[in-house]
């Protein structure tokens, strides 16, 4: 392998640009008012066909820009240098399998986009994610960029410092949001992220949806938790490898800070995967450190770190009036809405609309509401009339079986049926018949889905089971290619009043994501693209395990940055791959995952090149 001083200067520059991208991307925040196309406006508009975005749109532009820059750099370094480097990870024939997976994914993404019925959305991405076909292809380019430039000790040394800066920024901002207030509610931040034209919108920004949860600039606490998962293994590995008191203290603080940050995200998936990361690193890498050190301190590093972190959290808990305790309790319980928690509920199994009749069906009883000549009548499952009593505009039924149901007509002349759920059900009454309320207030004939198999799984993982069960049937139409980037919400069976209410307590939801990156890929890019992604991740893990002896040997030497990056990134990759079973791909964090996936291949290649196993 070439000595560091013999590495072409342009290689260092190109790697440094990618590291700057990694450092800056998470914090890109700009208030943007976006005009939606006609289809998207039915599902996502805030008002009059527009939406307000703060975290996603500008990040997607940065991701695409970085991908274009990487393409230019790779093409340039293979055209202009007098001596083109032959020993690089992307040229190594043993790594061609990774590039084949990337190529398959890109081709299937393009094919899915070309045959999509929603061209505008495919080009811009869903307004709830802005992951367009261009962004998805950019992920693969960023992966190749990570794979191409990080096989050198000097580059990985710089990467280590950059990751430490990124962790420091994360911990500081996390503390601001935890101890003070959400970033978007700080006055000078509102001014910074908005132009004068939209300053009045920025002034109204409030983070009310995620009370006592930290999300920073990641759109959602779950994605912030995933981002912290990607960083934690690096702080732990750096800590275990630290020499001298100062470095031990610095990396110990970073490790404690990242653990604290994951707790503040209050994401159960991130919390349990954090425990997995700590156990894996403590049991595998710790053994390697014991072999390489001759001090007693090596036996106490992990225990001291965990005890110190626990003490800090205990002190913080006292001064924040048990806020840490409340956060931890909510993480472990992972509480979500449950119909079983409410006894005063008419538990529905279905709702049927039959022109002028509305049937509210439970397992044992059916309430029929009939409209005739603008008058409402009520019947039980046997056709017996139920007497109704009106009081202050609310109609109550004089029957013990249905005494938890109340009916009213709102100011929009809509029928409001309160069956005891968090939100009432709303129906139109027009021309003497009932209609449901669909996207953008559309009048719809049906508020139920045909197939209700798998209802017992609906409540799994805070309601994710509902999305998964109803997404899987969509895959029969995407076996080869998908429906196109960002189109999931147009194919998912929306307007399922009962399914949504029994899962979330309300029917007023648009399911815009399956909360599973793999199902998301299968629906939007197709099952072949999904296979390419899964195989790529598996191949990276296999590639690491095949070189484990060389990696372990490199870790026994001081200042081996390639070994540190390889050891930490593989844990990050595996944890995030599992995390992605419970969360969608998102432009706020997934670019970092794909970059680290490529960096892992590159660092392993560099270690093997040092050891002479690659000629």
């Amino acid at each position: 392998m070439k000595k560091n001083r013999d590495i072409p200067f342009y290689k260092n520059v190109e790697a440094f640009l990618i590291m700057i991208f990694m450092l800056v991307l998470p914090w890109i925040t700009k208030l943007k008012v976006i005009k939606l196309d006609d289809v998207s406006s039915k599902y996502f508009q805030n008002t009059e066909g527009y939406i307000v975005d703060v975290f996603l749109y500008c990040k997607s532009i940065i991701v695409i820009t970085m991908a274009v820059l990487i393409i230019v750099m790779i093409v340039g370094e293979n055209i202009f240098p007098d001596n083109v480097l032959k020993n690089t990870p992307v040229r190594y024939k043993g790594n061609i399998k990774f590039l084949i997976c990337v190529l398959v994914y890109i081709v299937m993404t393009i094919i899915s986009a070309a045959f999509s019925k929603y061209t505008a959305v495919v080009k811009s991405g869903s307004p709830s994610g802005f992951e367009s076909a261009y962004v998805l292809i950019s992920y693969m380019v960023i992966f190749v960029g990570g794979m191409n430039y990080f096989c050198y000790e000097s580059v990985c040394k710089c990467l280590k410092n950059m990751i430490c800066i990124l962790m420091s920024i994360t911990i500081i901002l996390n503390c601001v949001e935890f101890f003070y207030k959400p970033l978007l509610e700080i006055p000078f931040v509102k001014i910074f992220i908005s132009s004068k034209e939209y300053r009045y919108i920025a002034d109204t920004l409030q983070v009310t949806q995620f009370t006592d949860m930290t999300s920073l600039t990641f759109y959602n606490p779950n994605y912030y938790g995933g981002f912290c998962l990607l960083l934690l293994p690096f702080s732990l590995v750096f800590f275990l490898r630290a020499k001298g008191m100062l470095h031990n203290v610095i990396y110990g603080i970073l490790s404690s800070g990242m653990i604290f940050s994951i707790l503040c995200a209050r994401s159960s998936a991130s919390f349990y995967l954090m425990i997995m990361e700590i156990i894996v690193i403590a049991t595998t890498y710790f053994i390697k450190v014991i072999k390489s050190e001759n001090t007693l301190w090596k036996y106490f590093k992990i225990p001291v770190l965990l005890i110190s972190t626990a003490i800090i959290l205990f002190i913080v808990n006292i001064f924040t009036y048990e806020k840490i305790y409340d956060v931890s309790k909510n993480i472990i319980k992972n509480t979500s809405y449950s119909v079983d928690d409410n006894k005063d509920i008419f538990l529905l199994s279905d709702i049927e609309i039959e022109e002028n009749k509305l049937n509210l069906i439970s397992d044992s009883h059916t309430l029929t509401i009939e409209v005739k000549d603008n008058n409402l009548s009520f019947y039980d499952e046997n056709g017996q009339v139920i007497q109704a009593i009106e009081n202050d505009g609310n109609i109550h039924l004089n029957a013990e079986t249905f005494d938890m149901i109340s009916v009213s007509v709102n100011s929009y002349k809509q029928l409001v049926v309160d069956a005891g759920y968090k939100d009432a059900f709303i129906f139109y009454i027009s021309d003497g018949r009932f209609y449901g309320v669909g996207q953008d207030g559309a009048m719809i004939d049906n508020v139920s889905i045909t197939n209700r198999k798998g209802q017992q799984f609906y409540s799994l993982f805070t309601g994710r089971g509902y999305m998964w069960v109803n997404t899987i049937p969509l895959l029969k139409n995407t076996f080869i290619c998908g429906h196109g980037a960002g189109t999931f919400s147009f194919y998912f069976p929306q307007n399922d009043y009962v399914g949504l209410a029994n899962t979330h307590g309300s029917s007023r939801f648009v399911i815009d994501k399956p909360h599973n990156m793999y199902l998301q890929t299968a629906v939007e890019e197709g099952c072949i693209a999904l296979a390419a992604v899964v195989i790529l991740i598996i191949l990276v893990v296999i590639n690491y395990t095949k070189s484990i002896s060389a990696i372990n040997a490199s870790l026994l030497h001081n200042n081996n940055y390639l070994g540190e990056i390889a050891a930490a990134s593989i844990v990050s990759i595996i944890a995030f791959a599992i995390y992605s079973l419970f969360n969608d791909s998102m432009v706020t964090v997934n670019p970092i995952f794909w970059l680290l996936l490529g960096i892992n291949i590159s660092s392993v290649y560099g270690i093997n090149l040092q050891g002479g196993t690659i000629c």
Side-chain angles (χ1 to χ4, degrees), residues 443-567:
M443 292 173 30
I444 56 177
D445 297 315
N446 187 24
V447 293
S448 180
I449 59 176
T450 304
N451 186 348
R452 276 207 190 282
K453 292 181 180 178
Q455 290 186 73
Q456 65 271 29
F457 302 114
Y458 278 12
S459 62
L460 285 177
F461 305 110
T462 59
R464 284 169 169 78
Y466 173 78
M467 291 101 157
W468 299 345
V469 167
N470 290 295
T471 297
I472 290 172
L474 304 179
L475 303 187
K476 64 180 182 292
N477 298 319
T478 62
F479 187 76
I480 296 177
C481 67
H483 298 301
T487 61
F488 174 83
S489 57
F490 308 145
Y491 291 91
F492 187 87
Q494 308 285 358
N495 310 312
D496 176 21
Y497 275 25
V498 171
L500 288 169
N502 286 339
T503 306
H504 300 288
S506 174
S507 61
R508 303 174 194 177
F509 282 94
V510 171
I511 305 299
D512 56 355
K513 305 182 188 74
H515 285 278
N516 181 301
M517 184 184 77
Y518 307 104
L519 288 177
Q520 179 186 13
T521 300
V523 171
E524 296 184 351
E525 284 73 55
C527 293
I528 294 177
L530 170 62
V533 168
V534 173
I535 291 171
L536 175 59
I537 295 172
I538 292 173
L539 287 176
V540 171
V541 175
I542 292 174
N543 181 66
Y544 180 88
T545 56
K546 282 184 175 180
S547 302
I548 194 68
S549 297
I551 295 168
N552 288 343
S554 71
L555 289 169
L556 295 178
H557 296 87
N558 292 332
N559 300 324
N560 191 293
Y561 303 104
L562 284 168
E564 290 183 346
I565 297 301

Side-chain angles (χ1 to χ4, degrees), residues 226-284:
F227 172 75
C228 293
L229 273 182
L230 288 172
L231 297 183
L232 176 61
F234 290 93
S235 65
L236 293 173
V237 169
F238 297 162
F239 174 67
L240 288 171
R241 289 268 300 167
K243 307 294 183 183
M245 180 63 70
L246 179 60
H247 285 171
N248 274 284
V249 170
I250 290 173
Y251 297 129
I253 291 173
L254 290 177
S255 297
S256 296
M258 292 313 303
I259 292 172
F260 175 59
S261 298
I262 292 175
L263 287 176
C264 291
R266 218 183 77 177
S267 166
S268 295
S270 300
F271 173 76
Y272 290 114
L273 287 169
M274 172 191 74
I275 294 174
M276 184 207 78
E277 288 182 332
I278 293 172
I279 292 173
V280 168
I281 291 175
T283 55
T284 58

Side-chain angles (χ1 to χ4, degrees), residues 278-297:
I278 293 172
I279 292 173
V280 168
I281 291 175
T283 55
T284 58
Y285 189 75
F286 186 51
I287 295 173
K288 302 166 193 173
V289 172
I290 287 177
K291 292 180 180 179
S292 63
E293 292 188 5
N294 296 316
T295 63
L296 289 175
W297 170 234

